[in-house]
């Protein structure tokens, strides 16, 4: 734990502003008990004490998980903030990493709590990622050869499981958050897994970003700006996908798909698959495009593995069928 003094709730603290976001009603902070989410909770409760709530997700993945939960509950009790604890057990599916499984379970748990665990459904859930996290996400996507969706990294706002998630600090420095907490004597819990070099993101954080910052000062902010530019380009592509979706229909009509260029076919197919809650790997999309192009007769069969299911032909349209567990 980084500090032991009693927190002082002072609205004039030196925490950075919460972007342009302001609440439209009760909302929650996703409180991990780490420095970033603790700072976000503090910033919110000093501004909107009557609307601030907290949700803590206990993944149960490490011995320190109980310490995180205890700290979250203790902090919220001292600050008189309603706090809900969600316990999850994320089991990776075939081809899914433990980190992805935990992330998927975490978002679902946060959404469920926001919708059902308080007096009324909440208007939003706030996430504490900051500029360093965004820079790490861009480098992580680059290391995997990602396209624009990956380079756009984390959006400022998104909808998932029927809940609005907001990241108001993506342009702010993580160091400034910790400095403000130290000055005020606000405690947090350090996650031991953040020091593990087994995770690619941690290697980027501890080995790549410091060297990059020395060689190219300001690179952290530059990478965050790259993510914003990529996100703007993605917005334009999203508009194009919606136009093409109106043309080919959802689910896509095969004959209408064939009238588009291969790149636009791939784009609208990814748009459709995303609406179904899945995504295609590059090799899967290439195979699907080949099958769509070859589908000239009524007897042509399409049955391709995509995500956790299969894309199949049903008459004149494509369908995605989720695999049975």
């Amino acid at each position: 734990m980084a500090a032991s003094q009693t927190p002082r709730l002072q609205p004039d603290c030196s925490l950075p502003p919460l972007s342009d976001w302001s609440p439209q009603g009760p909302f929650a902070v996703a409180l991990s008990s780490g420095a970033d989410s603790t700072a976000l909770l503090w910033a919110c409760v000093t501004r909107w004490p009557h609307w601030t709530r907290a949700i803590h997700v206990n993944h149960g993945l490490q011995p320190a998980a109980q310490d995180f939960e205890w700290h979250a509950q203790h902090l919220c009790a001292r600050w008189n903030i309603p706090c809900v604890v969600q316990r999850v057990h994320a089991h990776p599916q075939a081809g899914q990493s433990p980190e992805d499984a935990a992330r998927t379970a975490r978002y679902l748990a946060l959404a469920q709590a926001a919708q059902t665990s308080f007096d009324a459904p909440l208007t939003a859930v706030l996430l504490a990622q900051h500029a360093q996290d965004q820079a790490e996400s861009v480098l992580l996507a680059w290391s995997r050869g990602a396209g624009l969706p990956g380079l756009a990294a984390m959006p400022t706002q998104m909808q998932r499981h029927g809940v609005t998630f907001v990241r108001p600090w993506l342009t702010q420095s993580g160091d400034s958050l910790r400095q403000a907490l130290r000055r005020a004597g606000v405690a947090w819990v350090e996650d031991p897994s953040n020091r593990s070099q087994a995770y690619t993101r941690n290697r980027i954080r501890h080995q790549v970003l410091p060297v990059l910052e020395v060689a190219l000062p300001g690179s952290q902010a530059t990478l965050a700006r790259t993510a914003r530019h990529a996100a703007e380009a993605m917005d334009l592509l999203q508009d194009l996908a919606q136009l093409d979706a109106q043309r080919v229909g959802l689910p896509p009509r095969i004959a209408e798909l064939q009238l588009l260029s291969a790149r636009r076919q791939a784009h609208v197919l990814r748009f459709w698959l995303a609406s179904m809650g899945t995504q295609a790997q590059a090799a899967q999309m290439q195979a699907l495009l080949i099958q769509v192009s070859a589908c000239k007769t009524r007897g042509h069969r399409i049955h391709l593995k995509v995500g956790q299911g299969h894309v199949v032909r049903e008459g004149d349209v494509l369908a995605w069928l989720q695999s049975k567990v």
Side-chain angles (χ1 to χ4, degrees):
M1 191 172 297
S4 58
Q5 299 96 323
T6 301
R8 300 190 303 273
L9 293 181
Q10 298 179 1
D12 60 342
C13 66
S14 57
L15 288 171
L18 293 168
S19 185
D20 296 326
W21 184 83
S22 60
Q24 302 302 310
F27 66 94
V29 171
L31 179 63
S32 70
S33 293
D36 305 333
S37 63
T38 297
L40 182 58
L41 183 67
W42 182 30
C44 290
V45 76
T46 58
R47 291 164 171 81
W48 308 292
H50 301 298
W51 279 357
T52 303
R53 314 284 188 266
I55 304 171
H56 176 79
V57 179
N58 185 337
H59 297 86
L61 295 176
Q62 53 181 311
Q66 197 57 43
D67 291 337
F68 303 152
E69 179 180 324
W70 177 87
H71 182 78
Q73 292 178 317
H74 183 64
L75 187 65
C76 290
R78 294 168 75 182
W79 289 356
N80 196 28
I81 300 169
C83 178
V84 166
V85 173
Q86 294 281 83
R87 297 181 178 88
V88 301
H89 299 282
H91 300 288
Q93 299 182 18
Q96 187 182 37
S97 70
E99 294 84 2
D100 287 340
R103 185 182 306 109
T104 299
R106 179 166 61 252
Y107 276 114
L108 180 58
L110 289 169
Q112 290 174 340
Q115 292 169 323
T116 65
S117 296
F118 297 93
D119 293 341
L122 304 182
T123 58
V125 175
L126 270 57
L127 306 173
Q129 287 98 345
H130 47 70
Q132 179 180 326
D133 298 314
Q134 188 75 312
E136 292 168 4
S137 295
V138 173
L139 289 175
L140 186 61
W142 170 80
S143 72
R144 295 171 175 171
L148 274 178
L151 295 177
M154 296 178 289
T156 302
Q157 186 166 314
M158 65 179 182
Q159 291 284 327
R160 189 171 291 190
H161 306 301
V163 171
T164 299
F165 289 89
V166 182
R167 297 181 176 95
W169 272 344
L170 282 182
T171 61
Q172 302 297 334
S173 162
D175 290 340
S176 66
L177 307 180
R178 289 173 178 259
Q179 290 170 7
L181 291 176
R182 290 190 183 99
R183 282 194 295 269
V186 177
W188 70 87
V189 179
E190 290 288 357
D191 186 343
S193 69
N194 287 337
R195 297 190 294 270
S196 172
Q197 299 296 304
Y199 303 110
T200 304
R201 179 178 286 273
N202 285 353
R203 293 196 297 274
I204 290 173
R205 178 178 305 163
H206 297 296
Q207 299 177 22
V208 178
L209 276 178
V211 174
L212 195 59
E213 189 65 31
V214 172
L216 301 170
S219 57
Q220 179 175 297
T222 301
L223 287 167
R225 189 163 63 249
T226 295
R228 293 197 298 275
H229 291 326
E232 290 172 0
M234 279 299 301
D235 286 343
L236 293 176
L237 289 175
Q238 190 80 348
D239 291 343
L240 177 62
Q242 290 174 345
L243 291 174
D244 283 343
Q246 292 174 10
R247 176 178 177 178
V248 307
L250 295 180
R253 296 184 294 271
I254 296 171
E256 294 291 340
L257 269 175
Q258 292 171 338
L259 298 176
L260 298 176
S261 68
R263 289 181 179 177
R264 287 176 69 171
Q265 285 183 41
H267 190 53
V268 74
L269 285 170
R270 292 188 190 280
F271 178 81
W272 165 59
L273 290 169
S275 73
M276 304 297 292
T278 190
Q279 58 183 349
Q281 298 176 358
Q284 293 172 338
M285 179 56 67
Q286 186 60 34
L288 181 55
L289 292 176
I290 292 172
Q291 288 299 311
V292 168
S293 177
C295 191
K296 303 294 186 182
T297 64
R298 287 188 175 275
H300 187 96
R301 180 175 178 268
I302 296 178
H303 190 275
L304 290 172
K305 178 75 166 64
V306 173
Q308 301 300 319
H310 292 83
V311 172
V312 301
R313 178 181 180 179
E314 292 185 348
D316 295 332
V317 302
L318 296 177
W320 183 75
L321 304 179
Q322 187 168 9
S323 299
K324 294 182 179 179
V325 180

